[in-house]
Amino acid sequence: MQRAITVHPAGCKVTPTYINCNELSRFTRPARAVPRCRRGQPSIVAAQSSDFIREHLKELAAYTPIEPFEVLSQKLGRAPEDIIKLDANENPYGPPPEVMAALGAMQFSNIYPDAECRRLREALASFAGVGMEHILVGCGADELIDLIMRCVLEPGDCIINCPPTFGMYAFDAAVNNARVVDVPRLEGFAVDVPGIIAAAAEHSPKMIFLTSPNNPDGCMLSEEDLLKVLEIPGALVVLDEAYIEFSGLESHCSWVAERENLVVLRTFSKLAGLAGLRVGYGAFPLGLIEYLWRAKQPYNVSVAAETAACAALTNLPYLTVQPHCVCPLPSKLVICHLRVDEGPPARSKDEGPPARPKEEGSPAWPKDEGPPARPKDEGPPARPKDEGPLGGRGIRDAWGSN
Ligand SMILES: Cc1ncc(COP(=O)(O)O)c(C=O)c1O
């Protein structure tokens, strides 16, 4: 892995992990020839619409989003139920059944949603262990990454990014005309804390992005390292915990009450299987959240999204057990271990969680050990095709490097 720290100047073309550069041509066009004037006619040259675009955006490479089932289905000529997507870390089991019931009974879709998302923030306060005054909900954690940058960064400010990691930090920095200083992860994908400290001394970053567990490798950040990064003066640390429930470790949401320079992001996309409804949230220090409230789009979380997220939080057993069925492990590889033979049990509230001895703790296997060995030829037990959360679409283990 290359160890050099790289700096992308503000507004430069940033090509994060997921951007397909071929897409760029769709968004940046060659300049059109200026039409010649006929003799005697006034030389009025109409502005091209692209002239209105802010300079730093003219070279921006578009984010290449993943494709949904319908599009893939058409492209591959296969039924959606025959496709198993592993490209966006979506939850194949979907949300708890309470979600669909609540969406079916949803009222007031003709009325704008609660701009303050009070019902959901109240539920999140006890789920995340931090006062609701510290919580802001967004149209996915993605929206919050952009919102924080819009509130914090001046054009030309710098952020520290630790690749390989989630592509949106670099992408949003480019949109917000910020410089990106890359401090690559060490071998084994650990964050290079001395590298961050050195880069901070040189570039005075306004923000530092840390992801734990990291996408794509699942590597965790130790508390010791987090504390060291939090000591860097003048930098707001954004700790992205989109996958924290899969680690078996505690979230750091409650830390924001004590630390003025820490933000913690989480999402319903992964744990609750709500990627399509777009609900993420963040825990923020009070001095910062006040300005995010002022700058956010008033109705950024739809009635359907809030309804679904609230319903998901009514089935904590489902949310607690699910991470054991889809478990990325901290290692050099992304390992998606899907237990088709089990799936998430206890699907209804009154049924309660599946029998599982309390003292077993979580996760189901020690982090450094990996999933329990299964004889290669055993495979999942035979089950009827229409059974189980994957409907018999038998995925077992998917492995991929970054
Ligand atoms: C680390 C990380 N953070 C945030 C997100 C996006 O979350 P959301 O769907 O809430 O926008 C992802 C999505 O893959 C991710 O991997």
Short mmCIF file of all heavy atoms in Angstrom, two decimals, residues 88-89 140-142 166 169 211 215 240 242-243 267 269-270 278-280, ligand 1:
data_model
loop_
_atom_site.label_atom_id
_atom_site.label_comp_id
_atom_site.label_asym_id
_atom_site.label_seq_id
_atom_site.Cartn_x
_atom_site.Cartn_y
_atom_site.Cartn_z
N ALA A 88 -23.30 -2.82 -2.17
CA ALA A 88 -23.56 -1.59 -1.41
C ALA A 88 -23.83 -1.89 0.06
O ALA A 88 -24.39 -1.05 0.76
CB ALA A 88 -24.72 -0.82 -2.02
N ASN A 89 -23.43 -3.04 0.50
CA ASN A 89 -23.62 -3.42 1.91
C ASN A 89 -25.07 -3.26 2.37
O ASN A 89 -25.33 -2.84 3.49
CB ASN A 89 -22.71 -2.58 2.81
CG ASN A 89 -21.25 -2.77 2.49
OD1 ASN A 89 -20.88 -3.75 1.84
ND2 ASN A 89 -20.42 -1.85 2.93
N GLY A 140 -30.62 9.75 5.21
CA GLY A 140 -29.42 8.91 5.20
C GLY A 140 -28.27 9.66 5.88
O GLY A 140 -28.29 10.90 5.99
N ALA A 141 -27.28 8.89 6.33
CA ALA A 141 -26.08 9.53 6.89
C ALA A 141 -25.41 10.37 5.81
O ALA A 141 -24.76 11.37 6.11
CB ALA A 141 -25.13 8.46 7.42
N ASP A 142 -25.59 9.97 4.56
CA ASP A 142 -25.02 10.73 3.44
C ASP A 142 -25.40 12.21 3.51
O ASP A 142 -24.56 13.09 3.30
CB ASP A 142 -25.57 10.19 2.10
CG ASP A 142 -24.86 8.93 1.65
OD1 ASP A 142 -23.85 8.55 2.29
OD2 ASP A 142 -25.31 8.33 0.65
N PHE A 166 -15.05 4.81 2.91
CA PHE A 166 -16.30 5.21 2.26
C PHE A 166 -16.05 6.43 1.36
O PHE A 166 -15.42 7.40 1.78
CB PHE A 166 -17.31 5.53 3.36
CG PHE A 166 -18.69 5.85 2.88
CD1 PHE A 166 -19.31 5.08 1.89
CD2 PHE A 166 -19.40 6.90 3.43
CE1 PHE A 166 -20.59 5.38 1.46
CE2 PHE A 166 -20.69 7.19 3.01
CZ PHE A 166 -21.28 6.42 2.03
N TYR A 169 -16.90 10.92 1.75
CA TYR A 169 -16.20 12.03 2.42
C TYR A 169 -15.43 12.85 1.38
O TYR A 169 -15.51 14.08 1.35
CB TYR A 169 -15.23 11.52 3.49
CG TYR A 169 -15.78 10.39 4.36
CD1 TYR A 169 -15.02 9.24 4.60
CD2 TYR A 169 -17.03 10.48 4.94
CE1 TYR A 169 -15.51 8.21 5.38
CE2 TYR A 169 -17.53 9.46 5.72
CZ TYR A 169 -16.76 8.31 5.93
OH TYR A 169 -17.25 7.30 6.69
N THR A 211 -13.85 6.08 10.22
CA THR A 211 -14.97 5.16 10.03
C THR A 211 -14.70 3.90 10.83
O THR A 211 -13.65 3.28 10.65
CB THR A 211 -15.10 4.80 8.54
OG1 THR A 211 -14.93 5.99 7.78
CG2 THR A 211 -16.44 4.17 8.23
N ASN A 215 -15.56 0.84 6.15
CA ASN A 215 -15.98 0.29 4.86
C ASN A 215 -14.81 0.57 3.91
O ASN A 215 -14.44 1.73 3.76
CB ASN A 215 -17.25 1.02 4.40
CG ASN A 215 -17.64 0.72 2.97
OD1 ASN A 215 -17.01 -0.09 2.31
ND2 ASN A 215 -18.67 1.38 2.48
N ASP A 240 -17.79 7.88 11.82
CA ASP A 240 -18.90 7.26 11.10
C ASP A 240 -19.08 5.84 11.62
O ASP A 240 -18.24 4.96 11.38
CB ASP A 240 -18.59 7.28 9.60
CG ASP A 240 -19.76 6.79 8.75
OD1 ASP A 240 -20.62 6.07 9.29
OD2 ASP A 240 -19.79 7.11 7.55
N ALA A 242 -21.63 3.72 10.87
CA ALA A 242 -22.73 3.12 10.10
C ALA A 242 -22.88 1.62 10.38
O ALA A 242 -23.97 1.06 10.27
CB ALA A 242 -22.50 3.34 8.61
N TYR A 243 -21.77 0.97 10.73
CA TYR A 243 -21.82 -0.49 10.93
C TYR A 243 -21.56 -0.89 12.39
O TYR A 243 -21.22 -2.04 12.65
CB TYR A 243 -20.76 -1.17 10.04
CG TYR A 243 -20.93 -0.85 8.58
CD1 TYR A 243 -20.22 0.18 7.99
CD2 TYR A 243 -21.82 -1.57 7.77
CE1 TYR A 243 -20.39 0.51 6.65
CE2 TYR A 243 -21.99 -1.26 6.44
CZ TYR A 243 -21.27 -0.22 5.89
OH TYR A 243 -21.44 0.09 4.56
N THR A 267 -26.85 4.97 11.03
CA THR A 267 -27.85 4.86 9.97
C THR A 267 -28.81 3.68 10.20
O THR A 267 -28.46 2.72 10.88
CB THR A 267 -27.16 4.69 8.59
OG1 THR A 267 -28.16 4.57 7.58
CG2 THR A 267 -26.28 3.45 8.54
N SER A 269 -29.88 2.26 7.44
CA SER A 269 -29.73 1.54 6.18
C SER A 269 -29.23 0.12 6.38
O SER A 269 -29.68 -0.81 5.71
CB SER A 269 -28.74 2.26 5.27
OG SER A 269 -29.23 3.51 4.91
N LYS A 270 -28.26 -0.05 7.26
CA LYS A 270 -27.59 -1.34 7.39
C LYS A 270 -28.30 -2.22 8.40
O LYS A 270 -28.83 -3.28 8.06
CB LYS A 270 -26.12 -1.13 7.80
CG LYS A 270 -25.41 -0.04 7.03
CD LYS A 270 -25.34 -0.31 5.54
CE LYS A 270 -24.72 0.86 4.79
NZ LYS A 270 -24.71 0.65 3.34
N ARG A 278 -34.00 5.78 3.28
CA ARG A 278 -33.08 6.88 3.56
C ARG A 278 -33.32 7.50 4.94
O ARG A 278 -33.96 8.55 5.08
CB ARG A 278 -33.17 7.98 2.48
CG ARG A 278 -33.15 7.49 1.04
CD ARG A 278 -31.90 6.69 0.69
NE ARG A 278 -30.69 7.43 0.86
CZ ARG A 278 -29.67 7.00 1.64
NH1 ARG A 278 -29.74 5.85 2.29
NH2 ARG A 278 -28.60 7.74 1.76
N VAL A 279 -32.84 6.86 5.96
CA VAL A 279 -32.84 7.46 7.30
C VAL A 279 -31.49 7.23 7.96
O VAL A 279 -31.09 6.09 8.19
CB VAL A 279 -33.91 6.85 8.25
CG1 VAL A 279 -34.28 7.86 9.34
CG2 VAL A 279 -35.13 6.34 7.52
N GLY A 280 -30.82 8.30 8.27
CA GLY A 280 -29.59 8.23 9.05
C GLY A 280 -29.69 9.26 10.15
O GLY A 280 -30.57 10.13 10.13
C1 LIG B 1 -19.36 3.97 6.25
C2 LIG B 1 -20.66 4.39 5.66
N1 LIG B 1 -21.25 5.50 6.12
C3 LIG B 1 -22.42 5.92 5.63
C4 LIG B 1 -23.06 5.22 4.62
C5 LIG B 1 -24.33 5.74 4.04
O1 LIG B 1 -25.37 5.59 4.94
P1 LIG B 1 -26.83 6.05 4.51
O2 LIG B 1 -27.44 4.96 3.72
O3 LIG B 1 -27.52 6.28 5.83
O4 LIG B 1 -26.70 7.32 3.72
C6 LIG B 1 -22.49 4.06 4.11
C7 LIG B 1 -23.14 3.31 3.03
O5 LIG B 1 -22.66 2.38 2.47
C8 LIG B 1 -21.25 3.64 4.64
O6 LIG B 1 -20.64 2.54 4.18
#
